[in-house]
Amino acid sequence: MSDSSNMIEIRNLHKSYGDIEVIKGVDLNVKQGEVVVILGPSGSGKSTVLRCINRLEEITSGTIVVDGFDLYAKETDINYVRSEAGMVFQQFNLFPHLSVLQNITIGLIKVRKMDKAEADKIALSLLDKVGLPDKATAYPDQLSGGQKQRVAIARSLAMNPKVILFDEPTSALDPELVGEVLDVMKNLADEGMTMVVVTHEMGFAREVADRVIFIADGVIQEEAAPDEFFSNPKHPRLKDFLGKL
Amino acid sequence: MAFQFKPAVMVETLPLLTEGIELTIYITLLGLVFGFMIGTVAGLGRLSQNKFNRSISSIYIEIIRGTPMIVQALFLYFGVPLATGVRINPITAGIITIAVNSGAYIAEIVRGAVQSIDKGQFEAGRSIGLTRRQTMISIIWPQAFRRMIPPLGNQFIISLKDTSLLTVIGVAELTRSGQEIVAVNFRSFEVYLTVAIVYLCMTLSIAKALRWYEKKLMARSHR
Ligand SMILES: Nc1ncnc2c1ncn2[C@@H]1O[C@H](COP(=O)(O)OP(=O)(O)OP(=O)(O)O)[C@@H](O)[C@H]1O
Ligand SMILES: [Mg+2]
């Protein structure tokens, strides 16, 4: 059933690597403006689901619709849809040979065909937004991890995406740098950005998420609003998972 | 008759080598320019998603790396004209030999450098909507190119020295010029010593130039 308030609709998603099935039938809707946090043990398929939503992987079967576009349909312009869904990686993946400003403008210039002056203006305002107004001319290796991740967020925001996918955005950071990145994400959520976040930051999940999802063994085992999710976990694997934290 | 080292012969020899030196530089430069183009195409071909491109590139690389350059030069200069009826002059044959030969090694350098770039770079490029091609050109290649410079320098030096093998097809490059002088004055010690020193100066210059270029690239992006 297609519902136009859904930004993402995943139906019966299956994904195998060779003979090994890692996603075994996932159904998930994400509404416009919703923040969904995905939890789950290592190797359960969290990253794989995100990567399928950005079509960084080919899926084995099922459908994924993002903003009304069937991602895996032949007629879909995948480059266009990709730029509509931003992705923030655990390892930042900034372009080391480009300045901070160029990291943010390259998509605007090459994909959106914007002229440089206009792209620079947008980039500078985004740097302001992520709290790095004075880093435009710096290069990635001159930044701390937290600063890198904030630039990466600005880079994906530049494309004015309909949704941003975060894959453990703070896991590679020193503990004292986690907060600055989560703050930026919190602000985005407050502004109504649709977000799917894989994270181990339970505080963020409780405070910011509209819904929390627990994935284990390639299927969604439980999903609930954060209060319910954390105070009344039902699935034994989830109880076990939360107990270990 | 005891051997007597005559430094003066070396001083006399040097100007006689000028044309040979020029030809060596000319063949090396042109050969490497074309070799770089061939190597880039073949190196990227090996990484292509298209199976045909991958096989063609691999076959080329294996054949060239698996046979001596001297045989490649003889085959191209003496063998190919017999089959095609088209004669080429030795210098052209020399340039083609250097290009095709260095191209195979440069292809492996290109492939290795591109493969050494973190997969996340490619994904980040794709995730902001760049096409495969745009990601390759704007994200992967500039980073890979930087990593290629040291091994490329090595290959440039090898190719420069390999031009001496072109004596077998009668190219009047540096080594050949030396041989011709020795045929007249019989002073092989002084003449070949001079020739060796000239090669050394050229290879050291390449090494130095590339180090300078590498530093310059670094300085541009990591002040
Ligand atoms: N390219 C690949 N080839 C083969 N197997 C893969 C590949 N990528 C992931 N897998 C496997 O798929 C499963 C799910 O991986 P995925 O990265 O989605 O897990 P995850 O939940 O994100 O784990 P983590 O918390 O460690 O990041 C794992 O068992 C992993 O080994
Ligand atoms: Mg993961």
Side-chain angles (χ1 to χ4, degrees):
Chain A
M1 230 40 51
S2 201
D3 176 344
S4 64
S5 70
N6 283 339
M7 185 55 75
I8 303 173
E9 289 182 4
I10 303 177
R11 288 284 162 277
N12 201 16
L13 173 66
H14 289 258
K15 165 74 187 170
S16 304
Y17 291 105
D19 292 338
I20 302 165
E21 188 172 46
V22 298
I23 303 297
K24 303 167 185 165
V26 162
D27 289 271
L28 176 65
N29 290 336
V30 181
K31 292 209 182 323
Q32 166 132 31
E34 198 178 12
V35 177
V36 172
V37 164
I38 300 180
L39 301 179
S42 179
S44 56
K46 307 179 298 288
S47 299
T48 306
V49 170
L50 283 197
R51 294 161 57 78
C52 288
I53 300 174
N54 209 5
R55 218 182 141 167
L56 290 170
E57 303 283 351
E58 290 301 319
I59 64 178
T60 308
S61 67
T63 55
I64 301 179
V65 177
V66 175
D67 191 26
F69 292 95
D70 182 348
L71 271 201
Y72 291 83
K74 273 212 175 62
E75 64 276 10
T76 301
D77 177 354
I78 185 56
N79 294 312
Y80 175 78
V81 181
R82 244 192 216 122
S83 71
E84 297 270 283
M87 182 101 174
V88 174
F89 304 87
Q90 180 175 352
Q91 298 300 335
F92 327 124
N93 294 345
L94 290 182
F95 307 131
H97 61 300
L98 300 179
S99 69
V100 164
L101 195 76
Q102 290 169 322
N103 263 275
I104 302 172
T105 57
I106 184 167
L108 292 171
I109 293 169
K110 304 257 178 209
V111 180
R112 298 273 191 261
K113 311 291 177 205
M114 200 176 273
D115 66 57
K116 194 180 165 309
E118 201 183 339
D120 284 355
K121 227 170 81 189
I122 292 175
L124 288 171
S125 77
L126 287 171
L127 278 175
D128 213 35
K129 182 177 178 137
V130 298
L132 297 168
D134 51 346
K135 293 294 183 192
T137 57
Y139 278 80
D141 66 357
Q142 298 169 314
L143 303 179
S144 73
Q147 293 172 333
K148 280 184 197 161
Q149 197 59 298
R150 285 187 281 157
V151 172
I153 293 172
R155 176 176 68 181
S156 71
L157 282 174
M159 304 310 287
N160 200 12
K162 298 268 169 52
V163 47
I164 303 188
L165 313 167
F166 293 84
D167 192 357
E168 303 199 28
T170 58
S171 296
L173 298 177
D174 292 337
E176 73 272 20
L177 301 177
V178 168
E180 63 190 60
V181 172
L182 292 180
D183 284 344
V184 169
M185 292 168 61
K186 233 172 270 174
N187 288 338
L188 283 180
D190 290 344
E191 287 170 17
M193 176 62 78
T194 310
M195 296 162 58
V196 181
V197 185
V198 173
T199 184
H200 297 300
E201 295 295 330
M202 297 304 149
F204 180 85
R206 273 175 210 278
E207 201 184 322
V208 185
D210 297 305
R211 197 150 40 110
V212 185
I213 285 173
F214 178 68
I215 294 186
D217 303 325
V219 290
I220 295 180
Q221 309 281 8
E222 188 148 338
E223 86 179 82
D227 282 348
E228 170 76 7
F229 185 93
F230 289 108
S231 59
N232 190 14
K234 292 176 193 68
H235 198 282
R237 300 261 337 235
L238 175 57
K239 286 183 186 163
D240 189 44
F241 180 79
L242 292 176
K244 278 192 193 127
L245 292 173
Chain B
M1 187 180 75
F3 171 75
Q4 207 192 351
F5 178 44
K6 294 186 178 164
V9 176
M10 293 179 70
V11 179
E12 287 159 23
T13 302
L14 197 54
L16 302 176
L17 293 173
T18 316
E19 277 175 36
I21 294 172
E22 283 170 6
L23 194 53
T24 289
I25 293 174
Y26 176 72
I27 292 175
T28 306
L29 275 182
L30 276 185
L32 284 174
V33 167
F34 290 118
F36 185 71
M37 295 186 212
I38 296 171
T40 303
V41 171
L44 296 179
R46 280 208 58 171
L47 296 170
S48 163
Q49 300 208 301
N50 179 313
K51 191 157 182 272
F52 179 77
N53 291 346
R54 278 203 310 272
S55 329
I56 290 286
S57 306
S58 302
I59 292 169
Y60 157 67
I61 293 166
E62 294 309 332
I63 289 178
I64 297 302
R65 291 200 309 176
T67 55
M69 196 191 90
I70 208 162
V71 175
Q72 293 160 13
L74 290 169
F75 178 75
L76 179 69
Y77 183 64
F78 295 110
V80 172
L82 284 183
T84 62
V86 186
R87 282 213 65 86
I88 39 177
N89 70 51
I91 294 176
T92 309
I95 292 169
I96 296 174
T97 304
I98 293 292
V100 170
N101 184 274
S102 67
Y105 294 94
I106 291 172
E108 288 295 271
I109 293 171
V110 168
R111 181 179 68 94
V114 168
Q115 276 179 330
S116 77
I117 303 300
D118 184 68
K119 194 163 120 286
Q121 289 291 309
F122 197 79
E123 296 184 342
R126 303 288 275 148
S127 78
I128 55 171
L130 298 175
T131 62
R132 271 185 73 83
R133 202 189 163 78
Q134 285 173 324
T135 307
M136 195 64 206
I137 294 172
S138 306
I139 307 297
I140 307 298
W141 185 257
Q143 297 181 58
F145 184 71
R146 207 162 290 170
R147 296 194 187 173
M148 280 159 51
I149 295 172
L152 273 182
N154 204 24
Q155 182 56 42
F156 289 0
I157 287 168
I158 291 171
S159 290
L160 174 91
K161 292 187 295 179
D162 277 355
T163 57
S164 68
L165 300 173
L166 299 173
T167 51
V168 297
I169 57 170
V171 177
E173 42 64 65
L174 177 53
T175 302
R176 177 79 167 208
S177 310
Q179 288 174 328
E180 280 162 7
I181 297 167
V182 172
V184 175
N185 67 7
F186 304 108
R187 301 299 306 184
S188 31
F189 186 89
E190 290 84 355
V191 173
Y192 289 134
L193 183 59
T194 312
V195 167
I197 290 171
V198 173
Y199 275 116
L200 191 60
C201 290
M202 292 197 283
T203 53
L204 289 176
S205 308
I206 293 178
K208 215 174 165 66
L210 280 157
R211 259 201 303 279
W212 169 81
Y213 183 57
E214 200 182 356
K215 272 218 187 84
K216 206 180 88 166
L217 275 185
M218 291 298 182
R220 204 191 296 158
S221 68
H222 300 270
R223 288 138 315 147

